[in-house]
Amino acid sequence: MNTLNQTALNQLNNNLEYFKLNAASPLSNWVNGKLYAGQGENISLLNPVTNLELTVYSDAGPNLLDKAVKAAQEAQVKWQSLTASQRGRLMLQAIAGLQGHEEQLAQLESVVSGKPIRDCRAEVEKVREMFEYYAGWCDKLHGQVIPVAGSHFNYVRHVPYGVVGQITPWNAPMFTCAWQLAPAIAAGNAVVLKPSELTPFTSVVIAKCLEQSGLPTGLINIVNGLGHTTGAALTNHPNIAKLVFVGSPSSGKSIASAAASRLVPSVLELGGKSANIIFADANLNNAIPGAQAAIFGAAGQSCVAGSRLLVHESIIDTVCNKLADACPNIKTGLPSDPQTQMGPLQNAAQFKKVNSMIAQALEDGAILVTGGGFPQELPKDASNGYFIEPTVLRNVSPNMQIACEEVFGPVLVVMPFSSEEQAISLANGTRYGLAGAVWSQDTARAHRVAHQLRAGTVWINSYKTISVMSPFGGFGESGYGRSSGLAGLQEYTIQQSVWVETAEESTVAMGYGAG
Ligand code: NAD
């Protein structure tokens, strides 16, 4: 018997039971205020620590999806008729409903996703923050008065779309769920959200807790299933008025074309190949831990991962030596251990992809600075798990696959530059544009370089700090549209311009009017 898998099964079943999702097949959908089992094919979830089965659930399928859209349509009408302050108060009341259940939610996420428990606890905290932030916006989403010529009074309103469809990935299931749910409902919409088929449960729990604590029934619906079944049914549903997608660029293209074919707008939050630039005058005591956190946090399964380290040629040996010394100290281990900094990759396909990209890089001439294999210190029962050591490669040229493609794993490539111009050109020499960073003690240079990076988020002497208050999104193939901040809220509204005649006698004329 594999003891680690038995412990994981107990952890999963206890937490499913705690949230009343347990049944012969887990109740993996939240539709119109009720839990439902799916109606489609079986989906097996494997334990990232052991590669053994954890549970099986059923794909929601198109009929349940349709029921979710109908419920959302009805709930949205009622939700929109509330005052803005009432909506804000209900959002605050609803998020308070998660209180006391944080640890169970974190445990449920950790066992399914393989994420270290301490990261899952932090993610639950982000869920709370996002709802509190957008609850505060409900009664501050003001319209505008436009000083038009003539006798008309013209004002602009922010109108919700109606029912929005959201699709999220497996690397940050709770974060991405709350990230999109909160602004959508704050703006007056209802939602049907499909999480990744690999991490189905925590979004259901969040929706259930929120609705049972104050949000109207049917306002948030979670349907679980595969991309080409339930996901496609959602993107093609005629009553979905906007699509918001968080995931890979290849799926993003399918979603954008499905949206375009119905003339429905979309927001795409996609992958990246972000550059982390260390100048010779950087404080290496900060830059080295910064470079490690940038790539090895979440085992590199982070959209903003700083996967390309560009280092001034005069210090590249020093930086590589320091990384070789420091990386083996990253605590790689079981997700359930509170000390673990890096757990396994989430799934078998990703594990295979990352290992094959490392092998290809070595074949292409890259040199291993550190890592590249399976961590030694793991228990025997985890020997088939999806673990990869923190890996650093040098002697990498910009056109190698490892330098161009998103790895989405704990793999850092280090490349030299000789001038500021070359650093900028290398950093921007990618079809992505999600994030980047500059490490330098020369403030003028740091800003100058930051402003020239074609990336949606840029850090100076830092990495990975994000806030729901500040807009986030991509350039290029990292996507379009913005999430977080006011920009993230505005994505969920359409502007309506209203014209009121103030003159006693009508000024309506043939042609294009008086303006
Ligand atoms: P993915 O594209 O494989 O899947 C994402 C979601 O899309 C899943 O729910 C999946 O079922 C669904 N899906 C796939 N094809 C579909 C289709 N044709 N129609 C409808 N739905 C479909 O991505 P993933 O592997 O789950 O996630 C990793 C990717 O997500 C990485 O590229 C990462 O950088 C990106 N990501 C981006 C951000 C961001 O904010 N920019 C955040 C997290 C992850």
Side-chain angles (χ1 to χ4, degrees), residues 11 15 103-115 117 120 123-124 170 172-175 199-203 206:
Q11 185 177 333
N15 288 296
E103 183 57 21
Q104 287 79 7
L105 194 53
Q107 296 276 346
L108 182 58
E109 189 73 287
S110 179
V111 71
V112 174
S113 69
K115 255 190 182 189
I117 186 67
C120 294
E123 216 175 311
V124 177
W170 46 260
M174 294 190 286
F175 181 100
T199 49
F201 303 128
T202 46
S203 302
I206 290 171

Side-chain angles (χ1 to χ4, degrees), residues 28 45 76 89 127 135 147 151 172 204-205 210 241 278 313 343 364 402 408 433 436 445 453 473 504:
S28 53
L45 294 181
Q76 195 272 330
R89 267 199 300 275
V127 172
S151 55
V204 174
V205 170
L210 292 171
I278 305 186
E313 58 189 9
D364 291 345
I402 200 78
F408 220 52
R445 168 158 58 196
L453 295 184
E504 278 195 17

Side-chain angles (χ1 to χ4, degrees), residues 166-172 175-176 179-180 194-199 225-236 245-252 254-255 258 268-272 301-305 347 350 353 406 408 432 434 472-474 478-479 483:
Q166 301 174 340
I167 298 178
T168 56
W170 46 260
N171 69 313
F175 181 100
T176 49
W179 195 36
Q180 299 304 334
K194 192 200 86 63
S196 166
E197 58 274 24
L198 296 165
T199 49
L226 303 171
H228 69 273
T229 54
T230 301
L234 177 59
T235 49
N236 293 314
F245 174 77
V246 189
S248 64
S250 60
S251 310
S254 308
I255 274 95
L268 302 180
E269 296 284 2
L270 309 177
Q301 302 165 112
S302 163
C303 56
V304 293
N347 58 76
Q350 193 59 26
K353 176 185 158 193
E406 182 181 41
F408 220 52
Y432 298 103
L434 194 58
F472 181 92
S478 292
S483 301

Side-chain angles (χ1 to χ4, degrees), residues 302-353:
S302 163
C303 56
V304 293
S307 50
R308 291 183 299 148
L309 191 64
L310 310 181
V311 183
H312 190 266
E313 58 189 9
S314 63
I315 57 164
I316 194 162
D317 290 337
T318 311
V319 166
C320 285
N321 291 340
K322 283 181 184 286
L323 285 170
D325 286 346
C327 289
N329 298 328
I330 294 171
K331 171 93 172 87
T332 306
L334 299 178
S336 53
D337 180 347
Q339 305 303 319
T340 294
Q341 295 174 298
M342 233 182 76
L345 300 192
Q346 201 279 326
N347 58 76
Q350 193 59 26
F351 180 63
K352 194 170 161 206
K353 176 185 158 193

